[in-house]
Amino acid sequence: MSTLAYLIWAMNILCDTGGQLAFKKAATVPGDGLDRWTAMAADPWLWAGIAFYVGEFVAWLAFLSLVPLSEGVLLGSINIVLIMVAGRLLFAERITRLRLAGILLVAAGVAAVGVGS
Amino acid sequence: MRRGLVIGFLCLLGFDIMAQLGFKYAALAALPVSPDAGWLLRVLGQPAVFLALLGYIGAFFTWMSLLKHAPIGPAFAASHLEVVVILPFAAVLFGERIGAWQMLGALGILSGILCLALDEAHGDEAHGDGAHGDEAHAGPA
């Protein structure tokens, strides 16, 4: 895989992680029903999440232009790991032993695909 | 109910695969990739991009409907299964070779997803909390 492909891959993962975290932050606004949706629409975090997603959409298209689909989809799975770790750091979400095992297995799987690329 | 869930999961998988195939077809049709407006316009002008968008929207609504009835653990796992199911599609439609390292990687990722799904399912039983588990879902990757 070329250096450019690695850079675009990193950009895609950063946008995905940033987008999910921004959505999570926006989703924690208080309220119910329509009030909650109105508050979310006024929350800059929601729009930051959407902006991240647009960036991710473009980066993913560029990434799949450079690598085979099978390889790209497997390498993209690292988002599962990063989002869980970021959730632990920023939102104090728990990481149980089973979650840790899952994270390590996904990371090892992505590393294996990376080695073979 | 059970039959409905199976159909729902198959729909989710179908939409996810449709989205990824749309991305790949659009990306191939707009080659060569370059960091400029020309490439962006070329890629956005491909009909396959709309296949990807349609897949995204379909997957989102199927996912939200499934979460109403499905246990979060298996739903979480199923929502990521396209990572592995896409491999035969890539081999047949794009002539990609699935090597030993990729097979090994896919096995690791699948095992990891199963661990995460088991943890989610266990967490729901222990805490009666069905709200989490979708934090890693959605998105092109």
Side-chain angles (χ1 to χ4, degrees), chain A residues 20 56 64 67 69-70 96, chain B residues 20 24 96 119-120 137 140:
Chain A
Q20 293 289 350
E56 183 197 358
L64 286 188
V67 301
L69 177 65
S70 51
T96 60
Chain B
Q20 294 303 339
K24 187 63 185 174
E96 293 178 10
D119 182 81
E120 293 289 343
H137 182 259

Side-chain angles (χ1 to χ4, degrees), chain B residues 38-128:
Chain B
W39 171 74
L40 202 57
L41 286 174
R42 261 200 326 274
V43 83
L44 292 179
Q46 301 300 325
V49 161
F50 296 97
L51 196 71
L53 278 174
L54 203 66
Y56 259 27
I57 295 167
F60 174 76
F61 284 106
T62 310
W63 173 245
M64 297 310 278
S65 307
L66 270 174
L67 282 184
K68 230 191 264 184
H69 307 289
I72 186 69
F76 177 84
S79 71
H80 286 90
L81 282 182
E82 102 272 6
V83 168
V84 175
V85 178
I86 201 81
L87 298 186
F89 283 88
V92 171
L93 295 177
F94 302 108
E96 293 178 10
R97 187 181 158 272
I98 313 296
W101 281 108
Q102 274 175 283
M103 294 292 282
L104 191 67
L107 195 68
I109 292 166
L110 190 63
S111 310
I113 289 169
L114 284 176
C115 281
L116 298 174
L118 281 173
D119 182 81
E120 293 289 343
H122 177 74
D124 289 342
E125 282 166 19
H127 302 102

Side-chain angles (χ1 to χ4, degrees), chain A residues 38-69:
Chain A
T38 311
M40 275 200 290
D43 190 339
W45 283 110
L46 182 81
W47 298 102
I50 290 170
F52 272 124
Y53 259 39
V54 172
E56 183 197 358
F57 187 86
V58 175
W60 188 242
L61 274 165
F63 185 56
L64 286 188
S65 301
L66 299 171
V67 301
L69 177 65

Side-chain angles (χ1 to χ4, degrees), chain A residues 95-117:
Chain A
I95 292 187
T96 60
R97 281 183 192 171
L98 209 48
R99 272 193 183 189
L100 189 62
I103 286 171
L104 291 175
L105 280 167
V106 171
V110 172
V113 177
V115 166
S117 299

